[in-house]
Amino acid sequence: AQSVTQLGSHVSVSEGALVLLRCNYSSSVPPYLFWYVQYPNQGLQLLLKYTTGATLVKGINGFEAEFKKSETSFHLTKPSAHMSDAAEYFCAVIPLSGGYNKLIFGAGTRLAVHP
Amino acid sequence: DAGVIQSPRHEVTEMGQEVTLRCKPISGHDYLFWYRQTMMRGLELLIYFNNNVPIDDSGMPEDRFSAKMPNASFSTLKIQPSEPRDSAVYFCASSLALAKNIQYFGAGTRLSVL
């Protein structure tokens, strides 16, 4: 079965530092890939998605992610963290094989940004 | 558009009581999803509808849970009777289609069953 692994349930960075949140998927057929962000007491909001085309995807708030088929990865990055980036980030996939075409979420990574 | 609207935002109830969570999807969206979020299990899809018809309820934990969508602008998730282990945040989401279409989430209902 398809699975999504987010390495590190908690990540802490200094303001202005690089943000790197890791996501790996398990299927041999690359799925559709998504990153969602959840701010405290709010619902999930789409940051970016990859379906086809350019493997480097730019999203909102300065985030981007790169699809690497050889590594089955879709890591999320931001060059310079801001205090307002503190939130929980979820990687999610929609498998393109097996007839299961619903979002499967990773466990989430909580990002803390300190001054 | 106001986005996906869920009510109530918070619900505190006692074990054994009936709980009804409500959702208004974004107008024009054909798909509606109910998710549950807990620390232990993360985000789980409970059920989803297409054009008001339940398509997949395999994520519904047990018969105490039921969901309806009487029309395109309203859905309910009901728990009867509620148990403390049902305590979680329940999200509703809607989208234009499955697969690569974006799902838009409501702010969630935080349920506490005492």
Side-chain angles (χ1 to χ4, degrees):
Chain A
Q2 172 74 264
S3 67
V4 182
T5 302
Q6 291 185 240
L7 191 62
S9 58
H10 290 80
V11 170
S12 182
V13 300
S14 299
E15 191 172 20
L18 171 73
V19 175
L20 171 61
L21 305 181
R22 300 178 187 274
C23 173
N24 288 86
Y25 61 90
S26 64
S27 65
S28 57
V29 177
Y32 292 146
L33 296 151
F34 304 79
W35 275 100
Y36 280 83
V37 60
Q38 184 179 25
Y39 298 103
N41 299 314
Q42 294 186 27
L44 280 71
Q45 177 184 1
L46 184 73
L47 273 178
L48 49 79
K49 67 175 183 178
Y50 171 79
T51 55
T52 59
T55 56
L56 182 63
V57 181
K58 295 187 184 300
I60 62 171
N61 301 338
F63 284 92
E64 61 183 35
E66 186 171 13
F67 166 58
K68 292 187 177 181
K69 183 178 179 180
S70 61
E71 299 177 7
T72 62
S73 70
F74 191 56
H75 302 331
L76 182 71
T77 60
K78 182 173 180 177
S80 177
H82 192 273
M83 298 295 288
S84 61
D85 295 326
E88 188 151 20
Y89 293 79
F90 293 90
C91 182
V93 304
I94 293 181
L96 298 182
S97 62
Y100 187 91
N101 52 4
K102 294 165 282 189
L103 267 177
I104 301 171
F105 285 91
T109 297
R110 188 169 298 277
L111 175 67
V113 182
H114 51 85
Chain B
D1 200 310
V4 177
I5 299 173
Q6 292 186 247
S7 64
R9 289 296 311 276
H10 302 275
E11 178 79 39
V12 180
T13 190
E14 292 186 348
M15 182 174 63
Q17 296 299 306
E18 178 180 294
V19 174
T20 299
L21 312 181
R22 297 173 175 80
C23 175
K24 177 179 168 56
I26 293 173
S27 177
H29 282 192
D30 291 333
Y31 287 82
L32 183 139
F33 307 83
W34 282 101
Y35 290 90
R36 178 172 67 176
Q37 184 180 39
T38 61
M39 291 292 292
M40 292 296 294
R41 300 175 67 91
L43 269 161
E44 304 173 276
L45 176 66
L46 300 177
I47 185 172
Y48 80 92
F49 294 82
N50 175 215
N51 292 324
N52 314 335
V53 177
I55 302 300
D56 184 346
D57 65 355
S58 59
M60 296 286 262
E62 47 198 279
D63 292 345
R64 298 184 297 107
F65 286 70
S66 62
K68 294 182 179 179
M69 193 165 184
N71 57 62
S73 59
F74 184 66
S75 177
T76 60
L77 178 67
K78 186 176 292 186
I79 308 173
Q80 166 63 17
S82 58
E83 297 182 2
R85 60 194 169 115
D86 302 330
S87 297
V89 181
Y90 291 82
F91 289 103
C92 176
S94 70
S95 72
L96 284 170
L98 284 180
K100 57 185 174 182
N101 284 82
I102 300 168
Q103 289 188 22
Y104 294 85
F105 283 74
T109 295
R110 183 174 296 276
L111 174 65
S112 297
V113 183
L114 306 178

